[in-house]
Amino acid sequence: MTQDQHESHAQHETGGAPTGSVRGDEDVDLTVLAARAGIAAQHVVPYGRQVAKIDLAALAPGAAAGEDPARYVVVTAMTPTAFGEGKTTVAIGLAQGLAARGERCALTLRQSAMGPTFGIKGGAGGSGLARVVPAERMNLHLTGDVHAVTAAHNLLSAVLDNHLHHGNALGIDERTITWPRVLDVNDRALRHVVVGLGSRSDGVTRQASFDITPASEVMVIMSLATSLADLRARLGRIVVARDVEGRWVSAEDLGAAGAMTAVLRDALEPNLLRTAEGTPVLVHTGPFGNIATGCSSVIADRVAARGLAGTETLPAGYVLTEAGFGADMGLERFFDIKCAVSGMRPRAAVLVVTVRALKAHSGRYRVVGGKDLPAQMLEENLEDVRAGAANMLKHLAIVRGFGMEPVVAVNVFPTDHPSEVAEVARIARGAGARVAPVRPVTEGGRGCVELADAVIEACEQEEPGGAGAGRLYAAEDDLRTKIAKVAAMYGAQGVDYSPSAARFLEDCERDGFGHLAVVVAKTPLSLSHDPALTGAPTGWRLPVREVRLAAGAGYVYAVCGSVSTMPGLPSHPAAERIDVDPSTGEIIGLR
Amino acid sequence: MTQDQHESHAQHETGGAPTGSVRGDEDVDLTVLAARAGIAAQHVVPYGRQVAKIDLAALAPGAAAGEDPARYVVVTAMTPTAFGEGKTTVAIGLAQGLAARGERCALTLRQSAMGPTFGIKGGAGGSGLARVVPAERMNLHLTGDVHAVTAAHNLLSAVLDNHLHHGNALGIDERTITWPRVLDVNDRALRHVVVGLGSRSDGVTRQASFDITPASEVMVIMSLATSLADLRARLGRIVVARDVEGRWVSAEDLGAAGAMTAVLRDALEPNLLRTAEGTPVLVHTGPFGNIATGCSSVIADRVAARGLAGTETLPAGYVLTEAGFGADMGLERFFDIKCAVSGMRPRAAVLVVTVRALKAHSGRYRVVGGKDLPAQMLEENLEDVRAGAANMLKHLAIVRGFGMEPVVAVNVFPTDHPSEVAEVARIARGAGARVAPVRPVTEGGRGCVELADAVIEACEQEEPGGAGAGRLYAAEDDLRTKIAKVAAMYGAQGVDYSPSAARFLEDCERDGFGHLAVVVAKTPLSLSHDPALTGAPTGWRLPVREVRLAAGAGYVYAVCGSVSTMPGLPSHPAAERIDVDPSTGEIIGLR
C-alpha cells in the first residue's frame, strides 16, 4: 500500500475530514472533567497530565431510591464495509451533540490495542472534530491496562507450562491445551509456534500459539467483571485444558488466579479521557468483536450511570456506549451478555449507516480494506442505495427484536451526494425509524445536534429495552438452542455442526456449562458467515466448525469460518512513518 | 521448595527482619516528596496516588556556574551469595540515614521486573524498615515502563519477521538474526521456540527465542539515553542481523526506530517513589546485571543531581545510586559505561559486605539459592570469616582501582555473632577503609547513621573518582585489549576466545565497532567465570565462548560460561500465594 492509499484509507474510514485540526493537548482540569460525568473529585486519580483513573469507590453505594436513572444509549451499526462506517466517530459526535444541547453526558468506549496502531490503522478513537483526546495516550499504552491483561494472561501460560515441566501433577493432556499466549503486537509469525525446545531444563516441547491481547479471555473477563471479587472468581473459572480423564483444568486448579487478580487490580479502574470538545469519555477494556463481546466494560458504564443519575437538583444525564461491528454481532452480545451481567437497560439504540455501506450492500462492488474504493461507487446512484437498503432494514428489525425503537444516524461523508443521503433517510423513515444525518468529523458536536434531539426524544417516549423479552435466549435454553436462536436472528435457515463441534457442545452440557451464554464468531462483513454475501442474505445455513469454552467470561463461542486472532503487518506498516519530534517530544504519524 | 524454605529464603536475602511492619500506603503529597529531591512542582506528574513521573524539563538548564555539585555516591558489594547481601536494602537505609542526619538526599534504583515477583522472589525493593513504597507499585507495573520496553522491543521483532515475510528486500540472512522477542514473565518454555509455522500467510519459519524484558537491549538503551534524541539515535543503531553479504542490518534499516521511540517516549521519564521513611527514590529502568550494565538510568541520576546541587541558600545534597552485583561487575560498568555517558563522577563508593558472604568465600560451604543455609554456617567461626576475607579485600582493591577510597558497610543480620562482625570490620579497617556496621532492615535509617557519617566524611575528604585514570580502559583500546583489562581486574591470567568469538571481534573491529565499550557476561557469584571458585581466585583464564553486539547500547558483550536470559518458575512459584483481598483491595503475598 502506498502512502497515498494509506491516507485515502484513513479518510474512507472516518468520513473524509482533514485530521489534526484539534490537538486537544492542552492541560485539563481532570476533576472538572470528572464532575461533568457526576464523578466526585475524591475518586479521580490522575495518571499523567490528561488522563485519570476512577477508583471503584465511585460505584458505591448504588443509586438511591427515587433517583431518576441515567439514560443509557447504545450505538450500533448496519453491517460495515472493511473500512468501518464511523460508529465510534458518531458516538463521540453524539456525546458532543448532547453536551451542545446542554445535557449532562458521558461516553464509554473500548480501549484500542496498540499493536494495530503500527499496522494499517495508524490510530483509533475517532477522527477530525469528533475524537478522543489525548490521542497519543488513547493509542499508546493509555494507563497500561492492556499490558496488565497481557501480563496476567501470560502468567497463567507460564504457570501452565511450568506445571507440565515439574511433573504434571494434574495429569494435563498436552494435546487439549487451549490457552495461548498473547502479545499486543501484529505479529503473524507468532500465530503458530513450537515452545519448549532446547534442553531438558527448557520446558516441555509442544505446539502453541499467540493471539493479540484483545482476543484474550482475560480481556473480556475484565470487561464483564462487576467487582474485584467477581474478577477473582471469573479468573479462577478459566479453563485451560483437560486432563487425561477428560476433566476440565482451570486457572484455580493451577493456583494462578490470585496472582492474576493482583496483576489486574488497578486495571479494573476505568480511564477518564475526553472528546475534542471536552465531553467525558470513560475508556476501559477492549475485548475483540469476533470471538468476544466487542463491548467496553460493565464497570465503566456503571460508574457513568451512577454519576449521571438524576438528583433533586440535576436532571438525569446520558450514558452513551458502543457495541462492536453490526447490530447482529456487538448489539446481540451487548444485550445477551453485557446487559445480562450489568442489569442495565438502554433507553435508545442508535444505528449508524452510511451511503457507502448501503451501496456496498447492493452487491455490485468489490470493496477491499486498505485499497481505494471503486471509483464508480462514488458516482451518484440511487439505485445502488435502494439495492443495498435490505441490510439496513434487517438491522432495524434486529434492533426492534431487542425491544428498542432504533434511531438511524446517517454518517454523511463529503463524497456523498445529497440525493443519496436523502434516499437513505427516506427508506429508514419509511421503516418507522427516527432518522438524523450526522457530520461528526467535519462539524463535531454541532454536526450531531439533530441526532442528539432524536435520541432525547426516543429516551423520553420509548420504554427501555433489553430486559426479559429483550433477550434473544434464556439461560435455561441449551447451548444448541441458543446458537440456533442467534443464527435465526442472522437470517440463517439452520445450523450445521462439525462432528468435533457437536461433541464439544455435548461435553459442555454434560459438565455443567449448559447455562452459559453463546458467542457466534463470524465475519463482521456480512449478516452471514460468508463475507461475500451482501445485503440481507437468505437461504443459507450457519456452519459451526469448532466450539470453544470461555468459562471465565461465561460463554462458549462457536467458530464459523476463519477468524483471525493475531493480525499481521502490511508490507509498509504505519510503524515506518510514526516517529517522535525530539525537539518537542510530539509523536508524529499517528492518524 | 516448601513454603518454609521460601520464607527462610526471603529472610536470608534481606537480613532477617519481619516484613510488613511498614505499609507506607497512606496518601503522600508528591510535590512535597519531590521538593526533598530539589525537584520543582511543575515537573511532578502524578501517575496514581503515590507515584509520579518527573518530566524531562527538570533536566534543563544544566547546573548554573558556581553551583556546588550534588555529592554522587555509588553503592556496590563484594561477590554476593545466591541470596544477595542486601545491597539495595543498605542503599535505602543509607538514604534514610543521611536524611536522619539532616542531609538532602535522593536515591536512584533500578525498576525490578514483574516476572520474578511470581517466581522465587515474591518481591523486591528492600525489606523491613528499609524498603521502597508503595511496594505494590514497585513490584507490579509501576508506571508501565517495563511494559513499554517489551512493546518497543517486540515491535522491532514483528517488523523484522514482517520484512522476511514480504520478500526480504534487505537480503537478511535468517541464520544471523540475533534479535529475540521479550516478555516480562519467567517462562522457560519460551527460551527456544520455532515461529512462523502454519500456512504461507503465517510468516517465515525459523528458530527464535524469548528473553525476559530486563535482558532487552532496549532496556539498557533506556538506561543510558541522555535525551529523546539520543534515545532515537541509539534505537536506530540496534543491530538485529546481517545480510547475505555479511553487512549489519539495523533497526533504522527496518524503519522501526521512530515508532519504537514513540512507544518509549513517556517511559524515559523517571518515577518518583519514596523510602519507608519518606526519602525520595527515583526508580527508572532495569537492565540486567549479567549481559547489560546492571545500573539504573543516567536520566534519573541527572535529575537528582540537578535537584540536589548546592545553591546560595541550600548546601549540596546526596545522590545515591546502586550498581548491580559485585564491584567486579556492576561497578566496573558503572564507571566504564554509565559514567562515561553521563559525565558524572562519584565522590564516595560504599562496598556492602556480610558475615555470611565472607564465610561463604571461605570455600568451606555449599550455598544454594532457594535452599536453607548450611546450619554450620550460622555458628560462630572467626576462622571462616578470615578465610573468606580475600574476596572483600579484592573488591576494596577494585574500588580503589577506579580512584575511589571505599566505605565498607557491614550489613549485620540478627543471626550474626558480634565477634564476627567485629572481625570483618577489623580486617576492612586494616586495609585502610572506612567501616560502619548497618542494620537497615531492623532499624531503618537509625541503623545506618554511622554509615551516613562515614559517607559524609568520605565526600568531604576524598576527590571524586571515575574520570580519566578512573576508567579501566580507553575508547581507543581495541576490543580484545578492553576485555583483557577487565579480565585482569577480575584476577584472570589471560583470556581464551572460541574461534567464533575471535572472528566476531575481528568483524566488529573491521566494521567500525572497535570504539565500543565491553561487557563481560559471567556469573556474579565468583570473581571468575566459575561460580564454584570462591574468595579471590588466581591462576585461571577467562574463556569467552561467544561475543554479541549491542550497538545501540554502545558495547559488545563477551559471554563467559552459561548466562540465562529467561528464568523459569520453581515447582511452587510465589504466584501460588499472591492474591488480592477483595474486601480491601490489598495485595497479599508480596514479600
Side-chain angles (χ1 to χ4, degrees), chain A residues 25 50-51 88 92 107-115 117 121-127 131-144 146 184 271-275 281-286 296 322 587 590-591, chain B residues 265-266:
Chain A
D25 287 350
Q50 302 189 60
V51 173
T88 304
I92 296 167
L107 171 64
T108 66
L109 287 180
R110 277 187 289 171
Q111 179 177 358
S112 46
M114 195 165 66
T117 301
K121 260 169 105 178
S127 186
R131 59 192 305 166
V132 177
V133 289
E136 294 177 349
R137 298 288 300 276
M138 179 77 178
N139 286 299
L140 303 172
H141 309 301
L142 195 49
T143 57
V146 177
D184 184 8
N271 305 290
L272 179 67
L273 289 82
R274 63 194 194 280
T275 70
V281 182
L282 290 172
V283 177
H284 198 216
T285 77
S296 60
E322 184 195 353
I587 293 173
L590 286 180
R591 192 183 78 201
Chain B
R265 185 192 61 177
D266 295 347

Side-chain angles (χ1 to χ4, degrees), chain B residues 154-172:
Chain B
N154 292 333
L155 176 59
L156 178 54
S157 308
V159 166
L160 171 59
D161 270 295
N162 189 58
H163 184 86
L164 299 179
H165 178 75
H166 285 294
N168 192 11
L170 290 169
I172 292 168

Side-chain angles (χ1 to χ4, degrees), chain B residues 40-213:
Chain B
Q42 75 262 30
H43 302 306
V44 179
V45 185
Y47 271 71
R49 289 211 163 95
Q50 301 190 61
V51 173
K53 276 191 170 292
I54 306 301
D55 73 28
L56 298 189
L59 281 173
E67 269 186 357
D68 189 16
R71 293 165 169 192
Y72 193 36
V73 177
V74 59
V75 179
T76 181
M78 66 184 291
T79 302
T81 68
F83 300 109
E85 305 316 310
K87 187 162 33 86
T88 305
T89 308
V90 171
I92 296 167
L94 174 57
Q96 294 175 150
L98 284 163
R101 282 296 194 227
E103 300 290 343
R104 300 164 72 214
C105 179
L107 172 64
T108 65
L109 287 179
R110 277 186 290 171
Q111 179 176 0
S112 45
M114 195 166 66
T117 301
F118 299 105
I120 292 178
K121 260 170 104 177
S127 185
L129 299 180
R131 59 192 304 164
V132 177
V133 290
E136 294 176 350
R137 297 288 298 278
M138 179 77 177
N139 286 298
L140 303 172
H141 310 301
L142 195 50
T143 57
D145 296 349
V146 177
H147 295 317
V149 170
T150 303
H153 183 116
N154 292 333
L155 176 59
L156 178 54
S157 308
V159 166
L160 171 59
D161 270 295
N162 189 58
H163 184 86
L164 299 179
H165 178 75
H166 285 294
N168 192 11
L170 290 169
I172 292 168
D173 180 349
E174 290 165 31
R175 298 160 305 174
T176 66
I177 294 174
T178 48
W179 192 249
R181 288 174 176 80
V182 296
L183 270 181
D184 184 7
V185 63
N186 287 18
D187 193 345
R188 70 171 64 73
L190 293 177
R191 286 176 189 153
H192 306 283
V193 301
V194 168
V195 301
L197 296 168
S199 72
R200 210 171 170 288
S201 63
D202 298 324
V204 173
T205 308
R206 65 181 186 87
Q207 246 197 294
S209 63
F210 281 77
D211 290 342
I212 193 164
T213 305

